[in-house]
Amino acid sequence: GKLTSLRYLSFRDCRLNNLPLSLGELLNLQTLDLRVVIDRMVTIPNIIWKLKRLRHLYLPSKFNAREDDKLRLDSLVNLETLENFDTSACSTTDLLFLTSLRNLTASVKGNAKSLQGIIKRINMNQNCLCQTSIRVRCFNAFTAEERDLSISQLLDCPSPHTLQIKGCRYE
């Protein structure tokens, strides 16, 4: 927390399980890279929302928020890059506040409402988003109507760079 001038912090490829609460005191941070060793589940304290100057946030591929809350991101209005956004640990409504977002990589696990929140965000700022990647896991958890609607909406999305759907035999 004493590194108040720090602008860039990376834990890339580190073996890390928990992040300290003092991370929320790095108010000048512009880039935070939490892409740790892939097999690790990282617990992130719900303090990232305090880093209002953050422009690039690279979340771990597997993470959860402390105390089983959703990780709050709605105050990060300067955020341009958000990688590994996961709807099981983050709220899609926060995406609506990220007006500077240019690059988004998101993952949805078996939740049609969350997927529609991401699609809404993409459609809202289709002129601003340069690169979008969506990974839908457990698609078989959706009802037939939700699957049809989601496929239709995903295909109508403006130029996602990557679209990956797992867990469904679509007939």
Side-chain angles (χ1 to χ4, degrees):
K2 294 180 179 165
L3 302 172
T4 56
S5 298
L6 194 64
R7 304 243 190 285
Y8 180 91
L9 179 60
S10 176
F11 292 101
R12 190 165 189 160
D13 296 328
C14 289
R15 295 189 181 279
L16 185 67
N17 294 330
N18 297 298
L19 292 172
L21 288 171
S22 60
L23 186 67
E25 297 172 27
L26 303 175
L27 300 180
N28 289 312
L29 207 58
Q30 293 181 2
T31 301
L32 179 57
D33 190 344
L34 301 174
R35 294 175 288 185
V36 298
V37 174
I38 292 176
D39 63 342
R40 296 273 177 177
M41 172 64 83
V42 180
T43 300
I44 301 175
N46 208 349
I47 46 83
I48 291 184
W49 64 271
K50 294 179 180 181
L51 307 175
K52 295 181 180 173
R53 293 190 177 160
L54 210 56
R55 292 178 182 260
H56 309 282
L57 176 58
Y58 303 94
L59 293 167
S61 58
K62 296 180 192 176
F63 71 97
N64 57 14
R66 265 196 196 137
E67 299 153 9
D68 295 324
D69 284 336
K70 296 270 186 170
L71 195 61
R72 184 177 163 203
L73 302 173
D74 61 335
S75 64
L76 304 178
V77 296
N78 294 314
L79 203 63
E80 296 175 14
T81 304
L82 178 54
E83 189 171 301
N84 292 327
F85 179 88
D86 190 335
T87 60
S88 61
C90 303
S91 174
T92 56
T93 56
D94 286 357
L95 289 175
L96 301 176
F97 297 96
L98 307 181
T99 55
S100 299
L101 200 60
R102 303 290 176 262
N103 300 300
L104 172 66
T105 302
S107 180
V108 179
K109 185 175 181 182
N111 187 325
K113 184 177 177 185
S114 293
L115 179 58
Q116 291 186 0
I118 290 173
I119 292 169
K120 180 179 179 182
R121 172 61 177 95
I122 292 169
N123 288 330
M124 238 177 68
N125 285 55
Q126 57 185 301
N127 296 332
C128 298
L129 279 171
C130 301
Q131 189 166 4
T132 307
S133 177
I134 303 171
R135 183 175 61 232
V136 182
R137 298 171 290 161
C138 300
F139 199 55
N140 53 347
F142 290 38
T143 66
E145 295 81 26
E146 289 171 335
R147 281 195 303 265
D148 291 344
L149 179 63
S150 297
I151 290 290
S152 173
Q153 289 176 331
L154 283 167
L155 293 176
D156 286 341
C157 264
S159 63
H161 282 72
T162 306
L163 176 59
Q164 185 181 65
I165 300 173
K166 288 186 175 182
C168 180
R169 289 179 301 229
Y170 197 69
E171 298 173 15

